[in-house]
Amino acid sequence: MRVWRGLWRAVSSGDGAARGGRPRRRAWETSLSPLERVRRLLPPEEAAAVGRCAAAPQVPPEEEEKEEEEEEAAAAPSSQASPEAAGARPGPFRAGELALAEVRRKHNATSKLLCRLAAGSVLASPRGFLPHCDIIGQLPGQMLRTSAGAPLLLRRPSLEEYVLLMPRGPTIAYPKDISAILTMTDIHPGDTVLETGSGSGAMSLFLSRAVGPKGRVISYEIRDDHHNLAKKNYRHWRAAWEIGHMEEWPDNVDFILKDISTAAADMKSVTVDAIVLDMLNPQSALPVVHPSLKQGGVCAVYLANITQVIDLLDRIRTCKLPFLCERIIEVTYRNWLVLPAKIKNCKSSQMVETQENIEEPPQKEYEEIHIQDQVVLKESEYNDSLSDDAETNCSMPYVARPSYWQDGHSVSKISYNQVIQQVL
């Protein structure tokens, strides 16, 4: 209390005014806010800016976050706002593009039909007909009914499905083997790759996608019919891709009708990052192509049997070619069947409840369900006989085994990918 009185006497005495200064403030007026203290320590220009910021209206955090999101959306490129502008796949099927129809058959077998959509054409399946006009305008992934009432699953084909279903003359390099070749050659976008043996164009399509728009694929073929077929399949895929994806497939494959063993003059001016040989006598091409392969580059040779591999290695040794054999591999591929099982007397399989405190079934009954002699595959269609409640609360015994029917090329043809690396 004494302090306040002393200050009051000092202010009321007028000492501050007598000295020529401004009147001294009262004690309760001398308290400054933190912002005012900072302003007094800053230069006049910065202090004025701080004052303007303090005078601006305060925005709630929710509105501030909303404004930031709006600014980011406005600053985003137009390609993100429009999927079609960014080259995204449009929705419905269009005339001129490829459509893949899957037909479910007995024993969980599936037939795939590839067609090019055109007004007035009809898709003929083993279970009825379906006009193309009923497909055009529909979204991929839908079920459509044929004239016989059978369901068809319609979607766009992948590159793997296209090369397996496209017209072919010679046997193609299968996707499982092409994937291994692409991995071992380590092809990057922008690379230049030499291919000998265009065949039906399967390898050319995968190489075209691997090197990208800035890369280049040089494909040699000695036979005129194979050369024309490879160009046709490649052209059809590019045309369908442009319609179905709103963007161009790279036109980066040069198909050359010529024997590679006589193309030494043409290869002198070319430097390639990798070589893929798919021909009967690759040993005749190695002396011609190896000068064009960059140091440390990889050459992959696709051969049908081990005797061809032996002949190739013997030719490399006798001719003293600057190659080193790294690997000889076989790519295996096996289908599996995983289906609900039922007893051989055609009675329904025993439903097993999925509750926690359930008693285990007797061992004899368990064996009867799972012994392979007494289990057959259920001939199922797309519509199952189980209700939603049964599928939710119960489970059925399943049978899982390799498929009896394997792909033909996996049985009749043993594929070897011979990798040869040039010695530094």
Side-chain angles (χ1 to χ4, degrees):
M1 186 61 97
R2 291 179 181 178
V3 175
W4 287 106
R5 289 176 180 176
L7 289 173
W8 175 254
R9 285 194 295 266
V11 171
S12 59
S13 62
D15 294 340
R19 295 190 185 98
R22 61 182 181 179
R24 183 178 298 178
R25 294 184 178 181
R26 296 180 175 85
W28 54 85
E29 295 179 350
T30 58
S31 177
L32 301 177
S33 65
L35 181 60
E36 185 67 21
R37 294 174 184 173
V38 172
R39 288 180 58 187
R40 290 196 175 188
L41 297 176
L42 295 176
E45 297 81 4
E46 297 183 6
V50 172
R52 289 193 298 269
C53 293
Q58 298 295 327
V59 181
E62 297 80 3
E63 296 183 2
E64 185 176 358
E65 293 178 358
K66 186 177 180 180
E67 291 178 358
E68 292 178 357
E69 293 177 357
E70 293 178 355
E71 292 177 358
E72 292 177 358
S78 59
S79 60
Q80 295 181 3
S82 176
E84 293 190 0
R89 179 180 301 177
F93 284 108
R94 301 182 181 183
E97 67 172 311
L98 297 172
L100 183 70
E102 293 187 8
V103 185
R104 185 65 61 88
R105 308 182 71 178
K106 293 182 179 181
H107 304 293
N108 204 44
T110 302
S111 297
K112 294 182 179 181
L113 305 174
L114 184 67
C115 66
R116 183 178 297 276
L117 298 177
S121 299
V122 176
L123 172 64
S125 71
R127 306 189 64 183
F129 299 92
L130 182 65
H132 286 190
C133 59
D134 294 345
I135 304 175
I136 297 175
Q138 298 292 332
L139 292 174
Q142 290 189 359
M143 287 285 189
L144 300 181
R145 297 282 177 176
T146 64
S147 58
L152 292 182
L153 176 61
L154 274 300
R155 58 184 179 85
R156 291 185 173 94
S158 64
L159 181 57
E160 176 187 4
E161 292 165 333
Y162 175 73
V163 301
L164 291 176
L165 298 174
M166 68 183 183
R168 68 176 69 170
T171 303
I172 65 171
Y174 284 87
K176 67 183 184 67
D177 302 319
I178 296 176
S179 300
I181 291 174
L182 294 178
T183 301
M184 291 185 294
T185 52
D186 196 24
I187 297 175
H188 293 80
D191 287 350
T192 301
V193 181
L194 173 65
E195 177 196 10
T196 62
S198 304
S200 299
M203 182 74 73
S204 304
L205 281 166
F206 278 94
L207 291 176
S208 173
R209 183 171 66 177
V211 300
K214 297 182 179 180
R216 183 186 177 194
V217 178
I218 307 172
S219 181
Y220 279 84
E221 177 57 52
I222 189 174
R223 292 187 52 170
D224 181 71
D225 54 343
H226 295 175
H227 170 76
N228 293 331
L229 181 59
K231 291 176 60 177
K232 181 180 178 181
N233 288 333
Y234 179 75
R235 184 173 63 253
H236 284 177
W237 174 258
R238 289 190 65 245
W241 181 271
E242 293 176 10
I243 298 174
H245 293 76
M246 299 298 294
E247 60 184 5
E248 292 186 0
W249 183 275
D251 187 10
N252 54 6
V253 180
D254 299 329
F255 292 98
I256 301 175
L257 180 60
K258 193 173 186 179
D259 186 0
I260 188 63
S261 60
T262 62
D266 300 337
M267 297 303 300
K268 286 183 180 180
S269 59
V270 178
T271 301
V272 297
D273 299 281
I275 298 175
V276 179
L277 304 181
D278 184 9
M279 50 191 301
L280 292 177
N281 299 312
Q283 53 269 20
S284 63
L286 285 179
V288 178
V289 300
H290 85 80
S292 301
L293 183 62
K294 69 176 184 180
Q295 293 293 323
V298 177
C299 175
V301 185
Y302 184 67
L303 297 173
N305 53 68
I306 194 63
T307 57
Q308 291 178 294
V309 177
I310 295 173
D311 294 340
L312 177 64
L313 295 179
D314 185 65
R315 180 66 178 273
I316 293 174
R317 182 184 60 85
T318 55
C319 296
K320 297 181 180 180
L321 297 176
F323 287 100
L324 173 66
C325 178
E326 284 188 352
R327 279 184 292 170
I328 302 172
I329 66 171
E330 176 186 0
V331 182
T332 59
Y333 186 90
R334 184 168 68 170
N335 294 318
W336 275 75
L337 288 180
V338 181
L339 294 172
K342 72 175 182 178
I343 309 302
K344 205 168 187 179
N345 59 4
C346 296
K347 293 182 179 179
S348 300
S349 301
Q350 181 179 358
M351 307 295 289
V352 182
E353 296 184 3
T354 57
Q355 298 177 359
E356 295 181 357
N357 300 325
I358 188 172
E359 297 181 358
E360 294 292 333
Q363 183 68 18
K364 182 178 180 181
E365 184 179 356
Y366 180 82
E367 292 175 355
E368 288 179 354
I369 295 176
H370 290 77
I371 292 178
Q372 186 173 0
D373 296 338
Q374 299 177 354
V375 175
V376 295
L377 296 179
K378 182 178 180 181
E379 298 177 2
S380 59
E381 299 293 339
Y382 283 108
N383 51 344
D384 296 330
S385 59
L386 293 178
S387 62
D388 295 338
D389 296 337
E391 291 180 354
T392 304
N393 301 324
C394 302
S395 63
M396 297 180 63
Y398 274 71
V399 58
R401 60 168 174 78
S403 175
Y404 290 138
W405 181 262
Q406 297 294 331
D407 293 336
H409 66 275
S410 297
V411 177
S412 62
K413 178 179 179 181
I414 302 176
S415 302
Y416 286 87
N417 298 326
Q418 170 72 30
V419 177
I420 306 168
Q421 184 175 14
Q422 190 172 0
V423 180
L424 295 177

